[in-house]
Amino acid sequence: MSTEYNAFITETTIEPTSEGPLSGRTVAVKDNISTADVRTTCGSAMLEEYVPSYDATVVERLTAAGATIVGKANMDEFGMGGTTETSAFGPTENPRAPGRVAGGSSGGSAAAVAGGKADLALGTDTGGSIRNPAAFCGVVGLKPTYGLVSRYGLIAYANSLEQIGPIAPTVEETAMLLDVIAGPDENDATTHQNGTDADYAAAADGNVDGMTVGVLESLRDGADDRVVDAFDDAVAELEAQGATVVEIELDSIDHALAAYYVIAMSEASSNLARFDGVRYGVSGGYEGDWNEAFAMSREKGFGEEVKRRILLGTYALSAGYHEKYYKKAQDARAWVKQDFDAAFEKADVLASPTMPVLPPEIGDSLDDPLQLYQIDANTVPVNLANLPAISVPAGRADGSPVGVQLVGPAFDEHRLIRAASALE
Amino acid sequence: MSEDAVDADAVHHVADLARVALTESEAERFEAQFGDILGYFDSLDEVPEIERESDLVNVMRPDEQRPSLNQDEALDNAAETEDGYFKGPRVS
């Protein structure tokens, strides 16, 4: 392993451009976020030598806020995976549970923070990729509302679902990092006016008195008993601090996972078409015509999980199957969104275990892709509904960290941060 | 494919459409896995038709010239270039 825990693909120093709230702080940046003159690999052999000529908006905001970027963090290839084992640069190890995975796909970012290699980190979350490794590594991770943080300079995987977000040791530091990166960007037309001067850090006051917490029962029931015990303790803690606890059932939730994978794979098949080995990416100098050379370059550059998703996405969009898979998945997405809207009439925040399982041992879970997809069950509904969610540590079970997920209404990150800070 | 069997031909056909060459061992694994995964996706058949309210709005900006990458920067990551252009494989 090239770095401790294999948390970084590239260790580097990107100096701050001015003083600000992050002066003196070090930040790890996931390696699918573009950094000018520093290679940005997406965890893929395809982009092993790719050096962007511009910074992502979030990188400009970090350095302008005084942060020093100390490395590009390891990740599942193109964000496709839940354990950071599909990286072409080897798996990241969990600093808080030796021998076990760090979670994914932002495993390097969470491990860098948990292992003390960076004060703070940026990850990206398409179906749980910030919250999952935050839970497995015992740190805090927040997936912002869709549109709150610019995706300009993020190498796209499934752009209707993914957001860049903060990972940090505490809720307040997570909120402070969100304050720096949130807000509109003229280079990303999907960004929203919300987030300007929001002062999320001030919301970390731990005051949940009078708040109603809705427990997502089916997600609780589907989890490992050891995870459920830690989760129940956290909910009891919120109750002890004055919150009211209610049970919430979402009828749509059983269909969210299938819908998520159909949509994510479909978008991936389109987004990853740009890697042709001509403008960038590996080129073998192959014989043959464009199509043959293109196919050979992608055979060489992409790992197996990436190929699997491109092929399944191509299939789901192909003639005859579009109605069966893609259109139905969009219906399920709308259904999930309606269900969440109704739930927020009964509760201020919704709670579930972040991950239904404890972190697996490295190498244990790769053989069955469908089984691996199912560990995303608790996190993907949030991405389908474009909502914000946070994972906050809730103790340990059998030596591994456990995370609690809190979900809030769109653009109400303040509420999430307030509730999460009560659990620290 | 889930109602029909997922056979080797189906895997190779979709790989051709996606312009991804596969090794034989990958194609064999995918054949088995795609049946499972697409079978799981069949649960979407139970989703009712949903009336979708679109909360999308168009975001427009004035169509003005702005700085972009120059030609050298655009070619920086290309394996082969010629006279300031990308050089690709023959088209047919």
Side-chain angles (χ1 to χ4, degrees):
Chain A
M1 292 191 178
S2 54
T3 64
E4 203 174 350
Y5 311 116
N6 205 20
F8 293 108
I9 292 171
T10 306
E11 285 188 287
T12 185
T13 302
I14 304 174
E15 302 284 354
T17 53
S18 62
E19 294 281 311
L22 298 183
S23 289
R25 300 284 189 135
T26 58
V27 183
V29 173
K30 190 177 182 180
D31 210 26
N32 57 353
I33 298 172
S34 300
T35 39
D37 304 323
V38 174
R39 74 170 178 162
T40 299
T41 71
C42 276
S44 182
M46 179 63 89
L47 293 178
E48 189 165 4
E49 293 172 15
Y50 172 67
V51 179
S53 44
Y54 64 100
D55 278 328
T57 298
V58 291
V59 168
E60 283 182 355
R61 289 182 182 175
L62 283 180
T63 53
T68 301
I69 294 169
V70 291
K72 301 301 294 294
N74 201 2
M75 57 180 284
D76 279 301
E77 186 178 1
F78 285 100
M80 299 179 188
T83 60
T84 310
E85 290 173 288
T86 69
S87 169
F89 302 89
T92 295
E93 188 181 12
N94 190 327
R96 304 257 172 97
R100 295 183 180 272
V101 303
S105 65
S106 310
S109 299
V113 171
K117 303 295 155 196
D119 298 326
L120 310 163
L122 291 185
T124 64
D125 191 312
T126 308
S129 284
I130 288 173
R131 290 160 283 159
N132 164 340
F136 279 178
C137 291
V139 295
V140 180
L142 188 149
K143 181 258 166 203
T145 309
Y146 189 81
L148 185 65
V149 176
S150 170
R151 284 177 295 109
Y152 180 72
L154 165 63
I155 298 175
Y157 149 35
N159 40 289
S160 83
L161 298 159
E162 63 204 359
Q163 279 285 282
I164 297 172
I167 295 173
T170 65
V171 173
E172 188 174 5
E173 289 166 293
T174 303
M176 184 178 73
L177 185 50
L178 184 63
D179 277 321
V180 169
I181 60 173
D185 175 16
E186 65 171 17
N187 286 325
D188 177 356
T190 64
T191 52
H192 200 277
Q193 289 305 311
N194 287 331
T196 316
D197 304 324
D199 201 359
Y200 296 112
D205 59 11
N207 181 8
V208 290
D209 195 21
M211 195 181 271
T212 303
V213 178
V215 172
L216 296 171
E217 278 303 321
S218 64
L219 300 186
R220 176 190 174 277
D221 295 348
D224 182 298
D225 289 343
R226 296 166 294 178
V227 172
V228 173
D229 286 344
F231 171 75
D232 287 348
D233 288 348
V235 172
E237 175 62 33
L238 292 173
E239 204 167 14
Q241 293 184 40
T244 304
V245 176
V246 297
E247 291 183 9
I248 300 281
E249 290 289 350
L250 302 181
D251 294 336
S252 63
I253 213 150
D254 290 342
H255 295 91
L257 195 64
Y260 165 77
Y261 275 103
V262 169
I263 292 169
M265 288 172 178
S266 297
E267 292 187 17
S269 72
S270 164
N271 278 320
L272 271 62
R274 66 180 56 128
F275 301 106
D276 57 7
V278 172
R279 292 161 300 160
Y280 33 69
V282 290
S283 163
Y286 303 108
E287 296 296 313
D289 67 19
W290 185 290
N291 285 339
E292 289 158 356
F294 191 3
M296 290 305 293
S297 148
R298 288 151 66 81
E299 157 64 21
K300 183 175 176 200
F302 289 145
E304 188 164 319
E305 183 59 34
V306 173
K307 290 176 202 165
R308 187 154 38 233
R309 295 197 195 190
I310 290 174
L311 263 56
L312 285 164
T314 303
Y315 186 84
L317 292 176
S318 64
Y321 293 103
H322 177 275
E323 297 284 307
K324 178 174 169 56
Y325 295 116
Y326 189 73
K327 186 180 168 298
K328 276 291 172 192
Q330 295 290 18
D331 276 335
R333 183 174 192 167
W335 189 17
V336 169
K337 199 168 187 312
Q338 288 176 7
D339 257 3
F340 272 115
D341 286 346
F344 287 121
E345 287 171 12
K346 297 178 201 149
D348 296 308
V349 297
L350 306 174
S352 76
T354 308
M355 301 303 293
V357 294
L358 295 172
E361 286 182 28
I362 291 173
D364 250 14
S365 60
L366 276 184
D367 288 341
D368 183 350
L370 186 55
Q371 195 187 350
L372 204 53
Y373 297 165
Q374 281 162 346
I375 73 170
D376 292 343
N378 293 9
T379 50
V380 300
V382 164
N383 299 72
L384 288 175
N386 299 340
L387 300 174
I390 192 167
S391 179
V392 59
R396 285 172 168 266
D398 277 357
S400 294
V402 173
V404 165
Q405 170 176 250
L406 299 171
V407 185
F411 297 109
D412 204 348
E413 274 76 358
H414 290 98
R415 197 187 290 188
L416 282 185
I417 287 160
R418 177 162 290 123
S421 63
L423 287 172
E424 290 184 316
Chain B
M1 193 144 66
S2 45
E3 287 157 0
D4 324 294
V6 185
D7 58 17
D9 284 351
V11 171
H12 283 296
H13 176 64
V14 75
D16 279 349
L17 290 177
R19 311 279 187 268
V20 177
L22 296 178
T23 63
E24 269 316 304
S25 67
E26 272 173 343
E28 277 171 30
R29 279 197 297 282
F30 285 180
E31 208 181 311
Q33 292 165 353
F34 285 11
D36 284 351
I37 295 167
L38 292 167
Y40 179 65
F41 290 171
D42 281 347
S43 66
L44 291 171
D45 290 342
E46 299 157 13
V47 174
E49 223 168 283
I50 298 289
E51 224 166 287
R52 298 177 212 158
E53 301 160 50
S54 178
D55 51 1
L56 302 177
V57 289
N58 285 323
V59 179
M60 312 294 265
R61 63 169 173 80
D63 186 18
E64 288 164 355
Q65 277 193 7
R66 298 195 294 185
S68 66
L69 298 185
N70 64 38
Q71 201 165 355
D72 284 343
E73 288 167 339
L75 293 172
D76 260 353
N77 285 281
E80 290 188 84
T81 63
E82 193 172 302
D83 301 332
Y85 295 97
F86 296 109
K87 187 178 176 191
R90 61 189 164 78
V91 174
S92 62

